[in-house]
Amino acid sequence: MTKRKLILEDGTVFTGEAFGSMKEVSGEVVFNTGMTGYQEILTDPSYCGQIVTMTYPLIGNYGINRDDFETITPSIHALIVKELCDFPSNYRSEESVHDFLEANDIPGISGVDTRKLTRIIRNHGTMKGLIVSEEYPTDKALERLKNTHQKRDQVKRVSTVKPYVVPGRGKRIVLIDFGMKHGILRELTKRNCHVTVVPYHYSAEQILRMKPEGVMLTNGPGDPQDVPEAIEMIKGIIDKTTIFGICLGHQLLALACGAETEKLSFGHRGSNHPVKDLIKNKTYMTSQNHGYTVKKESLANTDLELTQTALNDGTVEGIRHLTYPAFSVQYHPESSPGPDDTNQLFDQFLLNIEAHQVIDKEEKSCQSVKI
């Protein structure tokens, strides 16, 4: 096997064996604590621009199948594992992780001490990394990392270019694609929703002309403050329709309502994060993937109510608007991968739509009587 190096911006060097593509690549090095679900992780658009470390020691044992993709074109920059399974065993398996990454020009490196790497990230926060050949000079790599600046257009790169429709006979939903996982679309179509998927930069006027009964704000990569057009769009629709936000969509809803966001030291990425619902006084296990969070103290000056918090660090996991039918969560209720404890939030979204429609009819009826 060909030897390759992972070089972090602090000078730490890990040497391992190459798999997948052989190209050189840089990106933000993060870790995911999931024991399974590597295919969904590889194809999650929220990992755009990132090099993902899997903390579970063996990856690839059940291969890659045709059913568990979260997008058509993966955006992950590279994969780091302790041990890669070359011969997967599963009745659904169609190819190995190596073959999948090679076909999509994504490099990987195995044989890395992922426990040590994860501890470095936990202690010092996420940092830039570079995967190169074993012969590549470390000092040259560090200079290259020093001059590498993180791109701010991740959402633009992963969002759909043109709108498209997934027909259904149920509620009319406009889904704003900031880097949508297919799991979100599956949950809506499972409930027979008529879904129109639109690009991230669609204006409030364009969305409202579609006469949606509800608007879904999806997950996506990067800093929510890098998508100002989406923040303005949400301001223009929040008093006119029902809104449900997930992950990046949650952060964008908070910003549109006057709250603030900040970058976490090493983020939340995995399928085992406990969240407490403050309204129902229940705790759920959730699937998460985010590097930014809503500042809890900034909610005090808004019309938003804190509804859920992370039990690990107390960060904001859910909010709802006190006046308008809008709510959001930081985690992924569609799981993929992960537990489906909070899958009922999609049902709650549809119930909110129906409740809002009843209120609208009553208000119109009152206006008609006055006339």
Side-chain angles (χ1 to χ4, degrees):
M1 295 290 289
T2 304
K3 293 288 185 179
R4 302 202 81 188
K5 293 192 299 187
L6 166 69
I7 303 173
L8 302 180
E9 61 179 308
D10 68 351
T12 305
V13 178
F14 293 88
T15 301
E17 298 176 342
F19 64 93
S21 169
M22 295 300 295
K23 73 176 182 181
E24 296 179 354
V25 68
S26 63
E28 182 183 34
V29 183
V30 301
F31 66 86
N32 186 293
T33 59
M35 295 176 65
T36 60
Y38 55 79
Q39 180 173 335
E40 293 92 331
I41 291 165
L42 287 170
T43 57
D44 183 348
S46 293
Y47 284 113
C48 179
Q50 295 179 328
I51 298 174
V52 179
T53 303
M54 299 300 298
T55 62
Y56 190 70
L58 176 62
I59 298 299
N61 55 309
Y62 56 86
I64 299 290
N65 65 76
R66 67 178 184 178
D67 299 322
D68 294 337
F69 290 108
E70 289 300 320
T71 190
I72 296 174
T73 306
S75 302
I76 187 176
H77 272 201
L79 180 68
I80 303 170
V81 302
K82 171 64 177 175
E83 181 182 351
L84 181 72
C85 179
D86 295 320
F87 302 100
S89 177
N90 186 279
Y91 74 97
R92 295 196 303 160
S93 177
E94 297 180 335
E95 62 180 333
S96 67
V97 170
H98 163 73
D99 292 337
F100 174 75
L101 293 185
E102 186 176 48
N104 287 278
D105 199 25
I106 299 171
I109 181 170
S110 65
V112 170
D113 187 345
T114 51
R115 292 184 66 183
K116 179 180 179 180
L117 176 55
T118 299
R119 292 184 67 176
I120 290 174
I121 296 172
R122 281 186 60 89
N123 291 333
H124 304 288
T126 57
M127 61 183 75
K128 291 181 290 186
L130 181 66
I131 294 180
V132 292
S133 65
E134 188 179 22
E135 299 79 21
Y136 199 94
T138 300
D139 56 347
K140 183 178 178 182
L142 293 175
E143 184 64 26
R144 183 170 162 184
L145 284 172
K146 184 179 179 181
N147 296 321
T148 299
H149 301 288
Q150 187 173 356
K151 295 182 178 180
R152 318 292 292 193
D153 64 343
Q154 291 99 320
V155 169
K156 179 180 180 180
R157 282 187 276 162
V158 298
S159 177
T160 185
V161 177
K162 295 181 179 180
Y164 60 92
V165 172
V166 182
R169 296 292 186 180
K171 301 297 183 186
R172 296 190 310 276
I173 307 298
V174 170
L175 186 151
I176 318 298
D177 180 13
F178 300 116
M180 173 194 67
K181 290 173 63 182
H182 286 175
I184 296 175
L185 193 58
R186 282 194 293 269
E187 291 301 328
L188 292 174
T189 54
K190 186 190 300 182
R191 291 162 174 80
N192 204 30
C193 294
H194 180 88
V195 184
T196 303
V197 182
V198 301
Y200 76 99
H201 55 70
Y202 255 41
S203 67
E205 181 182 5
Q206 287 175 298
I207 292 168
L208 293 174
R209 284 182 64 86
M210 297 179 181
K211 307 298 183 184
E213 295 175 276
V215 172
M216 170 70 71
L217 309 173
T218 76
N219 64 291
D223 186 341
Q225 296 184 59
D226 290 337
V227 201
E229 54 270 75
I231 298 171
E232 290 304 311
M233 175 272 295
I234 296 169
K235 290 179 181 179
I237 68 170
I238 193 168
D239 61 339
K240 299 176 178 67
T241 189
T242 303
I243 297 175
F244 178 22
I246 293 175
C247 201
L248 180 65
H250 158 80
Q251 298 161 9
L252 291 169
L253 175 63
L255 289 172
C257 295
E260 300 174 7
T261 57
E262 61 183 346
K263 187 175 175 61
L264 293 166
S265 176
F266 51 83
H268 299 168
R269 298 175 180 89
S271 53
N272 51 3
H273 291 255
V275 167
K276 183 172 183 179
D277 188 318
L278 302 177
I279 307 300
K280 297 180 179 179
N281 195 29
K282 290 184 178 180
T283 297
Y284 305 107
M285 296 303 293
T286 66
S287 175
Q288 303 203 8
N289 175 20
H290 60 275
Y292 291 81
T293 186
V294 176
K295 289 185 180 180
K296 184 181 293 185
E297 60 273 16
S298 72
L299 295 175
N301 300 318
T302 70
D303 290 326
L304 297 172
E305 176 186 22
L306 177 67
T307 59
Q308 300 184 27
T309 60
L311 289 181
N312 287 338
D313 59 8
T315 52
V316 176
E317 290 288 344
I319 56 175
R320 68 181 180 186
H321 202 282
L322 294 172
T323 304
Y324 305 123
F327 77 104
S328 62
V329 292
Q330 181 62 82
Y331 51 86
H332 289 265
E334 81 285 356
S335 59
S336 300
D340 57 5
D341 293 23
T342 56
N343 192 260
Q344 78 280 357
L345 290 178
F346 290 95
D347 298 316
Q348 185 60 55
F349 177 42
L350 300 185
L351 289 174
N352 286 359
I353 290 174
E354 292 177 1
H356 184 55
Q357 289 173 334
V358 169
I359 293 173
D360 280 348
K361 288 180 181 178
E362 291 177 349
E363 289 180 348
K364 290 177 181 178
S365 176
C366 290
Q367 291 173 358
S368 176
V369 169
K370 288 180 181 179
I371 292 173

